[in-house]
């Protein structure tokens, strides 16, 4: 068997080097579909402050802390201020069901519905939370929160975004 010439070996080495280089570039340019989702799962969900009208010329304001994704849920704290009915104001913990699949759908541009609960810090009362998130991009969109209290259903239309 005849040995390849040094030029043939060099040509073969350059060819192999180029093939591996091109393969790495192609791999680097291919989108990683799970990277965006895992990134969304590790980033916080930021809900903008909002307010809405309530009975008898009242106003309810909702402030939600940055929510962290943990065990298939977004968790954080909330503060509900009701004016002039200050005795209806409360603070507590918020838990919104958000499976990995639901977060993937949201990032892909599909609206999702969710359920959750708000538990007051003071007396431990639990309120049902219903909602729908509608993305305008993979990073942000609008969310409708319906908080069902003892007296009423309070609906907030809010913007959200993913952040750090």
């Amino acid at each position: 068997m005849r040995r390849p010439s040094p030029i043939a070996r060099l040509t073969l080495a350059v060819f192999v080097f180029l093939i591996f280089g091109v393969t790495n570039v192609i791999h680097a340019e291919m989108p990683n579909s799970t990277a965006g989702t895992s990134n969304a799962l590790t980033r916080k969900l930021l809900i903008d402050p909002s307010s809405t009208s309530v009975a008898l010329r009242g106003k309810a304001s909702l402030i939600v802390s940055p929510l962290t994704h943990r065990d298939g849920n977004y968790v954080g704290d909330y503060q509900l201020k009701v004016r002039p009915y200050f005795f209806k104001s409360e603070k507590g913990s918020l838990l919104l069901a958000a499976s990995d699949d639901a977060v993937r759908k949201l990032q892909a541009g599909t609206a999702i519905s969710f359920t959750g609960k708000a538990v007051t810090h003071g007396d431990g009362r639990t309120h049902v939370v219903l909602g729908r998130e509608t993305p305008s991009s993979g990073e942000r969109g609008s969310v409708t929160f319906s908080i069902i209290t003892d007296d009423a259903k309070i609906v907030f239309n809010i913007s959200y975004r993913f952040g750090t």
Side-chain angles (χ1 to χ4, degrees), residues 37-45 66-76 96-104 162:
T37 302
S38 3
N39 194 19
L41 296 176
T42 58
R43 292 183 302 158
K44 297 194 182 285
L45 178 60
L67 301 173
T68 304
H69 195 264
R70 204 173 10 202
D71 300 325
N73 299 298
Y74 275 106
V75 294
L96 305 175
S99 68
D100 294 355
D101 188 46
V103 175
R104 277 188 210 92
F162 290 100

Side-chain angles (χ1 to χ4, degrees), residues 32-95:
N32 185 346
S33 62
T34 59
T37 302
S38 3
N39 194 19
L41 296 176
T42 58
R43 292 183 302 158
K44 297 194 182 285
L45 178 60
L46 307 171
I47 308 288
D48 292 341
S50 181
S51 62
T52 190
S53 298
V54 293
L56 302 174
R57 294 187 177 186
K59 181 177 180 180
S61 298
L62 178 66
I63 298 173
V64 177
S65 72
L67 301 173
T68 304
H69 195 264
R70 204 173 10 202
D71 300 325
N73 299 298
Y74 275 106
V75 294
D77 293 316
Y78 75 96
Q79 182 177 6
L80 181 65
K81 291 184 179 181
V82 186
R83 292 185 185 95
Y85 313 109
F86 64 90
F87 53 90
K88 295 285 186 183
S89 297
E90 60 185 50
K91 294 179 181 181
S93 300
L94 184 63
L95 180 139

Side-chain angles (χ1 to χ4, degrees), residues 19 63 115 161:
I19 290 295
I63 298 173
T115 60
R161 67 188 183 287

Side-chain angles (χ1 to χ4, degrees), residues 75-161:
V75 294
D77 293 316
Y78 75 96
Q79 182 177 6
L80 181 65
K81 291 184 179 181
V82 186
R83 292 185 185 95
Y85 313 109
F86 64 90
F87 53 90
K88 295 285 186 183
S89 297
E90 60 185 50
K91 294 179 181 181
S93 300
L94 184 63
L95 180 139
L96 305 175
S99 68
D100 294 355
D101 188 46
V103 175
R104 277 188 210 92
K105 286 180 181 177
L106 192 62
Q107 285 226 301
T110 303
I112 62 166
S113 295
F114 62 87
T115 60
K117 65 181 179 176
V119 180
T120 62
H121 287 316
D123 59 9
R125 279 181 295 137
T126 300
H127 305 297
V128 173
V129 176
L130 304 173
R132 182 153 181 90
E133 287 184 88
T134 306
S136 56
S137 74
E139 299 294 315
R140 62 184 60 243
S142 62
V143 60
T144 300
F145 271 105
S146 298
I147 301 173
I148 302 169
T149 67
D150 298 334
D151 305 320
K153 178 179 176 181
I154 306 171
V155 179
F156 294 93
N157 292 305
I158 312 171
S159 295
Y160 76 86
R161 67 188 183 287

